[in-house]
Amino acid sequence: MNQPTPPYIPRIRDPATPIVVAIDGPAAAGKSSTARWVAERLGFYHIDSGALYRAATAAVLRACGAQQWNEPDVLTAAQRVSARDERRSFVLLVDGVELEQEMRGGAVTQNVSRVAQMRGVRDWVNAQVRSLATGRSVVVDGRDIGTVVFPDAHLKIFLIADPWERARRRLIQRLGRSPADQQIAEETERLVQRDARDSTQTVQAKDAVLIDTTYLTQEEQVERIVALVKVLKGGHGRTTPDKA
Ligand code: CDP
C-alpha cells in the first residue's frame, strides 16, 4: 500500500545545511531515473551507488574474468574506478575510460551481486559515496543508503513496484519499445533471481517512506519526493512538533 507521507519529517532550520535524500529499493524499481530527476528538480547532485558497483564489476571482469575471484584482486580491480564530476552527477571511468554500455550489459548484471557481496568492496563503495557527497546536497540511490551509508539521511525513500512492471519498464528502457509478454516473463525471472542474490544488502530503513510505484507515472513519483523535500525545508506538511 502506498504511504505517501511519513509520520514525521524533521525540518531543517539552517538553509545552508547540505541535504541528503536516500532512495533505496530492489532491482529496476526506478531508483536511478527517479533520483536523477529529483536531483535536477532540486539542484542537488545525484549519486548512483549501483553504478559504482557496476563499474567495479566491469573492472573486475576485465582484470580477472568471470571465474574464481579472491577479494584482494577484486579490490585492486575496483580501485581502477574513478568519478568525473559532470553536470551535478558523476560519470564513472575504469582506467580513465567511460564504460557505460559495458556497465549496463548482461555480463556485469549477472556478476554484480557477487562483487557487491564482498565486504571490502562495500566499504570501498561506501567511502566513495560519502566522499562524493561531502559538502553538497545530494540524492543518493542504492539498496542500503538509508540504513548503512547515510543512516542519518534527512529523507529516506524506499521504492518498490510489482516485479512484472519492473521487468516491463527495464525492457522498454533497454529496447526502446514495448516488449512481448514472453520477454517480460523472462526478464521478471532474472529480476527475481537478482532480488534474491541482493536480499541481504537491500534493506528498508525503519524511518523510510515506502512508495509503491506500480501504478504511478515517473512524474508522479518524482513529484511526491520533491514535495517531501519541500516539507523538510520548511514547507507545508506534517512535521515534527516544535520543541521550543
Ligand atoms: O538499476 P538496478 O536496480 O538494476 O541495479 P543498480 O542500482 O544498478 O545496482 C546494481 C547492483 O549493485 C545490484 O544488483 C546490487 O548487487 C548492487 N548494489 C548494492 O549491493 N548496494 C547498493 N547500494 C547499490 C547497488
Side-chain angles (χ1 to χ4, degrees):
M1 199 178 87
N2 277 351
Q3 181 197 338
T5 50
Y8 297 117
I9 299 183
R11 281 187 183 164
I12 295 173
R13 300 201 180 269
D14 178 359
T17 306
I19 296 173
V20 177
V21 178
I23 302 184
D24 290 306
K31 303 176 297 285
S32 296
S33 47
T34 304
R36 190 178 325 111
W37 201 343
V38 169
E40 268 172 29
R41 284 277 305 276
L42 297 167
F44 291 8
Y45 267 74
H46 170 218
I47 304 173
D48 176 354
S49 67
L52 276 157
Y53 287 103
R54 285 178 180 275
T57 305
V60 172
L61 290 174
R62 284 181 167 225
C64 315
Q67 299 308 312
Q68 297 270 311
W69 298 334
N70 63 57
E71 190 157 336
D73 289 347
V74 168
L75 263 179
T76 306
Q79 280 158 10
R80 287 159 55 185
V81 175
S82 59
R84 187 178 70 217
D85 184 333
E86 201 173 290
R87 285 181 286 129
R88 292 183 190 270
S89 183
F90 296 96
V91 175
L92 298 178
L93 311 167
V94 177
D95 294 331
V97 179
E98 247 185 82
L99 296 179
E100 182 61 27
Q101 236 183 328
E102 197 167 311
M103 279 167 53
R104 304 285 156 195
V108 166
T109 303
Q110 266 299 313
N111 286 285
V112 63
S113 307
R114 263 169 87 198
V115 171
Q117 266 156 21
M118 294 186 184
R119 186 68 265 155
V121 174
R122 300 200 74 75
D123 291 344
W124 176 80
V125 167
N126 295 351
Q128 303 305 306
V129 171
R130 291 187 188 115
S131 152
L132 295 174
T134 302
R136 43 176 65 124
S137 289
V138 289
V139 183
V140 188
D141 72 281
R143 282 167 172 71
D144 56 352
I145 306 303
T147 48
V148 176
V149 187
F150 291 113
D152 296 327
H154 299 94
L155 177 65
K156 300 177 187 179
I157 306 290
F158 200 81
L159 281 189
I160 56 166
D162 174 77
W164 179 274
E165 179 58 19
R166 287 191 275 138
R168 195 184 69 83
R169 290 177 189 167
R170 182 50 53 99
L171 285 169
I172 291 175
Q173 190 182 41
R174 197 181 298 148
L175 307 172
R177 60 173 164 77
S178 286
D181 281 0
Q182 179 60 28
Q183 287 174 298
I184 303 178
E186 286 162 13
E187 184 66 18
T188 303
E189 184 57 33
R190 283 191 287 269
L191 274 186
V192 169
Q193 281 171 11
R194 188 147 64 95
D195 284 348
R197 291 198 295 271
D198 285 337
S199 59
T200 50
Q201 53 238 28
T202 309
V203 190
Q204 180 180 346
K206 284 196 181 70
D207 49 350
V209 182
L210 180 69
I211 302 181
D212 182 340
T213 72
T214 307
Y215 303 106
L216 293 181
T217 64
Q218 181 107 48
E219 284 89 341
E220 286 167 333
Q221 68 205 46
V222 167
E223 207 48 60
R224 285 195 185 182
I225 299 171
V226 168
L228 291 171
V229 176
K230 286 184 181 158
V231 172
L232 195 70
K233 290 165 95 177
H236 296 294
R238 295 175 69 191
T239 60
T240 35
D242 279 336
K243 286 207 181 101

